[in-house]
Amino acid sequence: MKYLRKNGVSSRIESTSDSSFRFLVSGTYDNLVSYFTYCQKELQNELEDNNRRKEDDKQEDLDDESVDNWMNEIEQELHQVEEILAQLSLERNYSLQNLEGKSVGDVVYKRKPHQVLNEEEITSALEELVRYTVLLNNKVVDYQDGKLVFQKIIPADELIYVCSPPVILLPKDEELESFNITKIHKITLLSRYLVHAGAELIFRISLDELREELGKYDMSEEDFVQIIKSVLSKRSVVDYFIYLINRTKAETIDDLIRAKDEIPDKEIDGPRKLERFDIPSDEYVRLVVEDLKKLDIIRLKGNKIKLNL
C-alpha cells in the first residue's frame, strides 16, 4: 500500500471488484467437432513422426529423453481432445433428446413451492438442469419462478456449443475462419474483500514497474500472476464500458446495466475473436462508474452519465 500511495494511487482494504478470465471456443456441433478432429489428426501425425524419430535415435545410440518428454505432452493433448469430443457428443445427445416433441411453453422441470430437498433430490435436480445446459445457453429454455420453460424451438444443427480447451488447443486466426468457429475471451467480474487499489492504478503505473515492485515481495507465483491479470482485466473493463456507452448511447447507470446484459461481447480484431464480460452483479457496474468518474472519463450527476472523451 505504501508503494501505491507513493505513486499517487489511493489504496485501502474494503469490499471491491475482482476479475478473472479464460478462453472459450464456440460454434455449432459440426464445426467444433471438425476443428477438434483436425487437432486430433495433427497430434496423431506428430506422435507417429516422433515415434519414428525415437527409433532412429535408438539406432544412433542417442539420448532420447527429450523425445520422450515431447511425446508425453502430445499424448496428454490427445487425451484432452478426446475428452472435449466426448463432452460435445454427450451435450449433443442431451440436446436432441430434450428438443424432441417439444413446443414453446412446455414446462420440463418444476420445483414444488417451499419444498425442502434432501441431498439425493438436490443431486437429481442439478443433473436434470445440466442436461439442459446447451439449451439454456442458447436461450431455448429459461429457468424462472422455479420452472424450466421452453421459450423457442430452433433446429438442433443451429445450436451453439461452448467449450474451454487448454491454451495449446486454441484455434489460430485462420482456423477461426476456415472452421467457422469463434474464440471468446471471457472475463468474469466479482466482488471480494481485498486490498483495494484506486482506479488510478490502471494508468499511473506501467505493468513493467508493477512487475518489478511485486518481485520484491515473498508471494506465490499464483498471486503474482493474479495481480497482473487483474490489472489487465481492469483495463479491458474500462475499454468495454466506454464501448458500451458509445454503442448504446447510454445516458444513465440503469441504461448501462441493461446494456451489459444485452451486449456481453466486444469484438477484438473482427467478429471471430471476442471478449465476453460476465458481470452478474449490477452493483459492480456502479463501482466501475465511480472509478470512471475518478479517472475523469465520465461525468456523473445523480444517475446520469456522460463520456468526457
Side-chain angles (χ1 to χ4, degrees):
M1 290 178 67
K2 288 182 181 179
Y3 169 75
L4 295 175
R5 288 171 179 166
K6 184 177 70 175
N7 284 274
V9 178
S10 60
S11 57
R12 60 194 181 278
I13 298 177
E14 64 171 22
S15 175
T16 185
S17 57
D18 189 22
S19 54
S20 62
F21 63 82
R22 60 181 176 137
F23 286 104
L24 307 173
V25 179
S26 72
T28 64
Y29 173 79
D30 288 341
N31 290 343
L32 285 177
V33 168
S34 293
Y35 170 68
F36 285 109
T37 300
Y38 160 77
C39 291
Q40 190 177 45
K41 290 177 180 177
E42 289 288 298
L43 290 168
Q44 286 169 343
N45 290 337
E46 196 170 354
L47 193 60
E48 290 172 5
D49 289 343
N50 275 285
N51 275 324
R52 284 193 293 269
R53 190 178 300 119
K54 184 176 180 180
E55 290 302 316
D56 292 341
D57 288 349
K58 282 182 179 178
Q59 291 175 12
E60 297 176 16
D61 197 26
L62 297 175
D63 180 10
D64 58 358
E65 182 179 352
S66 61
V67 177
D68 284 339
N69 291 338
W70 182 240
M71 289 174 65
N72 287 335
E73 290 181 14
I74 296 173
E75 288 172 350
Q76 289 175 9
E77 290 161 17
L78 266 173
H79 179 65
Q80 290 170 323
V81 170
E82 290 165 359
E83 287 184 331
I84 291 170
L85 287 171
Q87 182 63 30
L88 286 170
S89 177
L90 181 64
E91 291 178 351
R92 166 75 164 181
N93 290 337
Y94 284 156
S95 298
L96 290 173
Q97 293 168 13
N98 294 333
L99 280 170
E100 188 175 357
K102 295 300 190 299
S103 302
V104 173
D106 283 355
V107 177
V108 292
Y109 172 80
K110 185 175 182 180
R111 180 175 56 83
K112 296 178 182 178
H114 312 298
Q115 179 185 15
V116 179
L117 302 179
N118 59 38
E119 186 175 345
E120 184 178 341
E121 290 169 330
I122 291 173
T123 301
S124 176
L126 289 175
E127 287 176 351
E128 185 68 19
L129 290 175
V130 165
R131 291 172 178 270
Y132 282 88
T133 297
V134 173
L135 299 187
L136 281 163
N137 290 341
N138 283 264
K139 302 187 186 307
V140 173
V141 297
D142 186 33
Y143 188 75
Q144 51 189 6
D145 300 326
K147 296 184 292 186
L148 199 60
V149 185
F150 268 84
Q151 304 295 316
K152 60 183 178 180
I153 302 296
I154 63 175
D157 290 343
E158 295 179 12
L159 292 172
I160 298 299
Y161 294 74
V162 179
C163 58
S164 180
V167 173
I168 193 70
L169 295 175
L170 287 172
K172 302 179 180 66
D173 288 356
E174 60 271 19
E175 291 167 344
L176 294 173
E177 291 293 338
S178 60
F179 288 97
N180 193 22
I181 55 180
T182 301
K183 182 166 65 176
I184 300 167
H185 182 193
K186 184 175 182 180
I187 299 174
T188 300
L189 310 174
L190 303 168
S191 295
R192 295 176 60 189
Y193 288 95
L194 296 171
V195 173
H196 178 69
E200 317 91 71
L201 173 64
I202 299 173
F203 299 114
R204 289 190 180 171
I205 299 177
S206 72
L207 280 178
D208 288 340
E209 290 173 337
L210 184 58
R211 287 191 184 100
E212 183 178 349
E213 180 64 24
L214 292 174
K216 299 176 183 178
Y217 297 90
D218 182 17
M219 67 171 61
S220 69
E221 183 178 352
E222 182 180 351
D223 287 341
F224 178 88
V225 171
Q226 182 57 41
I227 292 172
I228 298 298
K229 278 185 176 181
S230 181
V231 174
L232 289 172
S233 295
K234 287 179 188 301
R235 290 182 179 178
S236 294
V237 169
V238 170
D239 289 341
Y240 170 64
F241 276 91
I242 292 173
Y243 161 78
L244 271 188
I245 295 170
N246 278 325
R247 177 169 169 179
T248 66
K249 309 302 180 188
E251 297 181 347
T252 66
I253 295 176
D254 291 335
D255 290 341
L256 202 53
I257 288 171
R258 283 192 293 272
K260 60 96 173 170
D261 292 327
E262 294 169 1
I263 311 173
D265 296 341
K266 180 175 178 289
E267 291 184 6
I268 311 171
D269 301 327
R272 293 291 178 194
K273 296 172 70 178
L274 304 174
E275 277 187 319
R276 175 165 296 171
F277 292 81
D278 180 16
I279 312 175
S281 168
D282 293 347
E283 182 60 28
Y284 188 93
V285 178
R286 301 180 194 281
L287 288 171
V288 171
V289 168
E290 288 293 335
D291 283 346
L292 294 179
K293 178 186 174 184
K294 292 173 188 175
L295 293 169
D296 203 30
I297 291 174
I298 66 169
R299 293 197 296 275
L300 177 63
K301 185 176 182 181
N303 193 42
K304 293 186 177 296
I305 56 175
K306 187 173 182 180
L307 278 177
N308 281 328
L309 303 178

